[in-house]
């Protein structure tokens, strides 16, 4: 159980590597093998998440199954789950086998299609298990890459425009969150979420350019995160701002 979060997070990525290296060709048999590998991988990941859920202490509000190590001397790899994230992981891993089953009839670049979704699963789960804001941001933003490819290659009408619109707009919203994270790190000296939750950021109200800012710097930090999440959801009225294209 010590590394169950890493297994749940990176097993889909391993499945993507197996398909990429060992499933050769684009014939129907190769596509069928790739679909089986992706489906089996997603089912194993879901079963692991069920094991995690069964071992989760529902009477505790603390983060559980914590894994932590220092990479490259500065990158803090820290994972953990609480009562909310454990449900979101179950939802994500439980949905992926249905995704692969529902796309069983896909016949356009099947290998790349399945690899994209397996990588996307790793990145989605990574968002929910990250206990370091830098690691969280990497997972959060990297998810744009497979989504960009999925929309641009296997999307419907005007898919290329839609993929660029999605990528640029969500990336723009996330820049505000990155700025908020940098400010939090500069003030507190840490990127560890467990420590940041206990840190008392400046909350005294002040005026800026004649505007009253309640809760001090916390207001700006909240707005940075809110803007990014609102765009990613997408939440009205920030779900779009670019005009429709007519190609």
């Amino acid at each position: 159980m010590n590394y169950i979060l890493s297994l749940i997070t990176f097993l889909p990525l391993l499945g993507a590597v197996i398909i990429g290296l060992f499933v050769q060709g684009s014939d129907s048999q190769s596509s069928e093998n790739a679909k089986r590998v992706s489906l089996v991988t997603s089912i194993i990941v879901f079963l692991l998440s069920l094991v995690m859920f069964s071992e989760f202490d529902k009477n505790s509000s603390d983060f559980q199954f914590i894994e932590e190590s220092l990479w490259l001397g500065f990158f803090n790899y820290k994972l953990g789950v609480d009562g909310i994230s454990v449900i979101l992981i179950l939802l994500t891993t439980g949905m992926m086998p249905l995704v692969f089953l529902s796309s069983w009839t896909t016949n356009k670049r099947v290998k790349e299609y399945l690899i994209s979704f397996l990588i996307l699963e790793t990145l989605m789960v990574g968002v929910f298990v990250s206990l370091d804001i830098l690691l969280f941001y990497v997972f959060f933003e990297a998810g744009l890459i497979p989504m960009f490819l999925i929309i641009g290659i296997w999307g419907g009408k005007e898919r290329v425009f839609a993929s660029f619109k999605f990528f640029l707009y969500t990336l723009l919203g996330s820049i505000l969150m990155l700025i908020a994270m940098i400010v939090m790190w500069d003030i507190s000296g840490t990127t560890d979420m467990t420590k940041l939750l206990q840190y008392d950021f400046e909350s005294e109200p002040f005026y800026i350019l004649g505007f009253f800012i309640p809760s001090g710097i916390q207001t700006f930090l909240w707005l940075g995160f809110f803007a990014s999440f609102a765009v990613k959801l997408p939440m009205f009225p920030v779900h779009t701002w670019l005009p429709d294209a007519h190609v």
Side-chain angles (χ1 to χ4, degrees):
M1 294 297 292
N2 289 338
Y3 300 100
I4 191 166
L5 294 185
S6 290
L7 283 173
I8 294 172
T9 303
F10 293 105
L11 193 56
L13 185 60
L14 177 61
V17 171
I18 291 173
I19 293 175
L21 293 179
F22 298 105
V23 179
Q24 304 297 328
S26 56
D27 56 282
S28 59
Q29 185 59 51
S30 297
S31 298
E32 196 76 10
N33 292 336
K35 291 174 182 177
R36 290 195 183 101
V37 171
S38 61
L39 179 60
V40 170
T41 301
S42 64
I43 291 174
I44 293 174
V45 173
F46 178 55
L47 293 176
L48 284 172
S49 65
L50 288 176
V51 173
M52 174 200 63
F53 181 74
S54 67
E55 295 293 327
F56 184 82
D57 184 1
K58 301 171 184 63
N59 296 317
S60 173
S61 60
D62 296 330
F63 288 105
Q64 301 178 39
F65 309 116
I66 292 179
E67 304 173 24
E68 185 172 13
S69 60
L70 198 62
W71 288 2
L72 305 176
F74 68 93
F75 190 81
N76 186 29
Y77 176 79
K78 187 172 184 178
L79 308 181
V81 291
D82 61 4
I84 297 177
S85 57
V86 73
I87 297 298
L88 294 174
I89 292 170
L90 271 178
L91 176 63
T92 302
T93 58
M95 177 182 64
M96 292 310 296
L98 300 178
V99 170
F100 291 121
L101 284 173
S102 64
S103 58
W104 203 265
T105 56
T106 300
N107 52 23
K108 177 182 178 183
R109 303 182 70 170
V110 175
K111 180 178 173 180
E112 292 83 358
Y113 177 84
L114 298 172
I115 288 175
S116 296
F117 269 103
L118 286 169
I119 293 175
L120 182 61
E121 182 177 9
T122 283
L123 299 174
M124 287 191 297
V125 173
V127 167
F128 300 132
V129 300
S130 297
L131 287 185
D132 183 89
I133 57 174
L134 178 58
L135 183 63
F136 169 83
Y137 190 80
V138 170
F139 280 122
F140 190 78
E141 285 306 292
L144 295 178
I145 300 173
M147 283 299 298
F148 173 81
L149 296 175
I150 291 168
I151 297 172
I153 298 174
W154 295 279
K157 183 181 178 182
E158 299 181 359
R159 58 184 179 273
V160 175
F161 173 77
S163 63
F164 276 100
K165 180 179 180 180
F166 166 81
F167 185 87
L168 293 176
Y169 189 46
T170 51
L171 180 63
L172 179 62
S174 298
I175 290 175
L176 298 175
M177 182 174 68
L178 178 60
I179 294 173
M181 288 180 173
I182 293 173
V183 172
M184 292 170 66
W185 168 77
D186 183 61
I187 294 175
S188 65
T190 182
T191 58
D192 189 324
M193 288 187 187
T194 58
K195 296 179 182 178
L196 289 171
L197 288 172
Q198 300 172 1
Y199 193 88
D200 184 20
F201 291 97
E202 183 182 350
S203 58
E204 292 297 323
F206 61 89
Y207 285 89
I208 181 171
L209 299 177
F211 292 97
F212 178 71
I213 308 299
S215 301
I217 195 66
Q218 291 187 24
T219 299
F220 291 105
L221 296 176
W222 181 85
L223 287 173
F225 278 87
F226 174 78
S228 179
F229 294 150
V231 169
K232 185 77 79 171
L233 277 174
M235 179 185 294
F236 180 84
V238 294
H239 57 297
T240 184
W241 61 277
L242 294 174
D244 291 333
H246 300 281
V247 180

